[in-house]
Amino acid sequence: MVGVLLLLLLLPFLLYIAAPQIRKMLSSGVCTSTIQLPGKVAVVTGANAGIGKETAKELARRGARVYLACRDVQKGELAAREIQMMTGNQQVLVRKLDLADTKSIRAFAKRFLEEEKHLHILINNAGVMMCPYSKTADGFEMHMGVNHLGHFLLTHLLLEKLEESAPSRVVNVSSLAHLMGRIHFHNLQGEKFYQSGLAYCHSKLANILFTQELARRLKASGSGVTVYSVHPGTVSSELVRHSALMRWIWWIFSFFIKTPQQGAQTSLYCALTEGLEVLSGNHFSDCHVAWVSAQARNETVARRLWDVSCDLLGIPVDWLMMAAGPKRSLKQTTQHTPPK
């Protein structure tokens, strides 16, 4: 017993000593692309803090017109002003987006489509983690509703603009936590059983399955839009705000948890790196293709999740083909380079 207590007392000191080596190991992935983005348009969800804010900042630094799609507009405005001051780019705009409410998602998309002629980069970054059981405005379990269904609908509403702007890219922020995820179609809303940590894992698995199915359908349609899922790493952010236990763990291991800037690197890598089209649908971590669980490679589950998601959101199962339509030109169906 004394030995255990002594170990607990020494743990912070030992972690501090080992921190430089561990931090270097955990933050090895860096986006080295030098592509500049003048004239390009990007949307980043959850961009008022953390990884989303750092992602938006770097896109703005490269000259893009960046929309911070945030639930908290006041925090979004503060983040936008900071980004404008740090990058010198005044084209950083804030728009209200509550992914827990499909009316808000549709309102955001409607306004964006009225304002912009193009969309080259969509970063589906926002998320919730380990929430007490609750439901979205539309009756979806909060994790599945925000992390998966909200971004599924947003991508649906913006896809035609992405296709018109091709080459364009979609990046879905997932997590290594998908390894513990399962898609329980009989309990998708957590009404039969619920555990907040596992609910997060399930939603992160859904992100990867959506990415793979979307990539498959986009390739079949020859749209010029590519899509990737990413694990940002274990990052110091507001994501753990709902769990006192996770906040404590984050504090104990804070010596080598990634900063938001480090956590944004893989999202930026997938949004900017040249020649990545052939890897559409893949999962990335530390700026490299990463292994995913057997559940995340299950094409049958991916197709069923697509169909169920469409049914829950009241959109056609074949919405991707409808968005492509007959108007796509031959030029748009050829091989493309990433947004420059």
Side-chain angles (χ1 to χ4, degrees), residues 16-88:
Y16 177 79
I17 296 297
Q21 291 75 25
I22 299 174
R23 189 184 296 114
K24 182 178 180 180
M25 178 182 69
L26 294 178
S27 61
S28 59
V30 177
C31 175
T32 58
S33 170
T34 58
I35 284 177
Q36 298 300 303
L37 302 171
K40 301 301 181 181
V41 180
V43 170
V44 184
T45 69
N48 60 281
I51 297 171
K53 179 180 171 183
E54 292 299 326
T55 303
K57 184 189 299 180
E58 181 60 23
L59 296 175
R61 189 184 69 79
R62 293 170 184 253
R65 181 177 173 88
V66 184
Y67 283 80
L68 313 187
C70 307
R71 180 177 58 85
D72 190 324
V73 174
Q74 186 175 5
K75 287 185 178 180
E77 294 288 359
L78 290 173
R81 286 196 290 273
E82 179 184 327
I83 293 172
Q84 289 168 347
M85 289 179 62
M86 294 185 70
T87 66

Side-chain angles (χ1 to χ4, degrees), residues 15-279:
L15 290 174
Y16 177 79
I17 296 297
Q21 291 75 25
I22 299 174
R23 189 184 296 114
K24 182 178 180 180
M25 178 182 69
L26 294 178
S27 61
S28 59
V30 177
C31 175
T32 58
S33 170
T34 58
I35 284 177
Q36 298 300 303
L37 302 171
K40 301 301 181 181
V41 180
V43 170
V44 184
T45 69
N48 60 281
I51 297 171
K53 179 180 171 183
E54 292 299 326
T55 303
K57 184 189 299 180
E58 181 60 23
L59 296 175
R61 189 184 69 79
R62 293 170 184 253
R65 181 177 173 88
V66 184
Y67 283 80
L68 313 187
C70 307
R71 180 177 58 85
D72 190 324
V73 174
Q74 186 175 5
K75 287 185 178 180
E77 294 288 359
L78 290 173
R81 286 196 290 273
E82 179 184 327
I83 293 172
Q84 289 168 347
M85 289 179 62
M86 294 185 70
T87 66
N89 184 348
Q90 299 305 305
Q91 297 187 86
V92 181
L93 308 171
V94 179
R95 296 292 180 267
K96 171 78 173 181
L97 174 66
D98 184 354
L99 289 162
D101 186 346
T102 59
K103 289 182 179 178
S104 175
I105 299 169
R106 292 183 181 277
F108 168 86
K110 182 176 184 294
R111 183 177 179 184
F112 177 84
L113 295 174
E114 290 172 348
E115 289 180 321
E116 290 292 342
K117 294 181 179 179
H118 301 287
L119 175 59
H120 303 94
I121 299 171
L122 171 61
I123 311 282
N124 289 323
N125 166 85
V128 295
M129 180 181 181
M130 297 187 72
C131 303
Y133 185 75
S134 57
K135 291 187 176 182
T136 69
D138 303 274
F140 308 137
E141 187 277 315
M142 189 62 69
H143 294 88
M144 193 62 69
V146 170
N147 298 351
H148 169 60
L149 292 170
H151 284 129
F152 188 102
L153 178 59
L154 180 65
T155 305
H156 158 68
L157 295 170
L158 298 180
L159 185 69
E160 185 172 357
K161 190 65 68 178
L162 285 160
E163 291 192 315
E164 291 172 354
S165 309
S168 53
R169 294 185 179 182
V170 178
V171 179
N172 295 320
V173 178
S174 181
S175 170
L176 185 66
H178 84 273
L179 294 172
M180 296 181 65
R182 297 291 185 273
I183 304 300
H184 299 291
F185 289 104
H186 66 288
N187 187 46
L188 209 57
Q189 308 310 332
E191 293 173 329
K192 296 182 179 179
F193 54 87
Y194 179 80
Q195 200 283 325
S196 61
L198 288 177
Y200 174 74
C201 297
H202 303 333
S203 71
K204 294 292 101 178
L205 173 60
N207 291 153
I208 295 178
L209 292 169
F210 171 48
T211 299
Q212 294 182 349
E213 184 63 11
L214 179 59
R216 185 184 71 80
R217 294 177 183 238
L218 286 168
K219 183 177 181 180
S221 69
S223 67
V225 182
T226 51
V227 55
Y228 315 88
S229 62
V230 305
H231 166 56
T234 306
V235 181
S236 176
S237 73
E238 295 181 355
L239 197 59
V240 297
R241 62 188 180 274
H242 293 293
S243 171
L245 174 62
M246 291 304 296
R247 290 198 302 273
W248 181 79
I249 292 173
W250 252 237
W251 178 77
I252 288 292
F253 293 95
S254 61
F255 296 116
F256 52 87
I257 285 177
K258 285 184 178 182
T259 66
Q261 182 182 33
Q262 292 168 337
Q265 294 304 304
T266 305
S267 293
L268 291 166
Y269 177 86
C270 289
L272 302 173
T273 302
E274 294 180 281
L276 221 59
E277 292 83 3
V278 295
L279 296 176

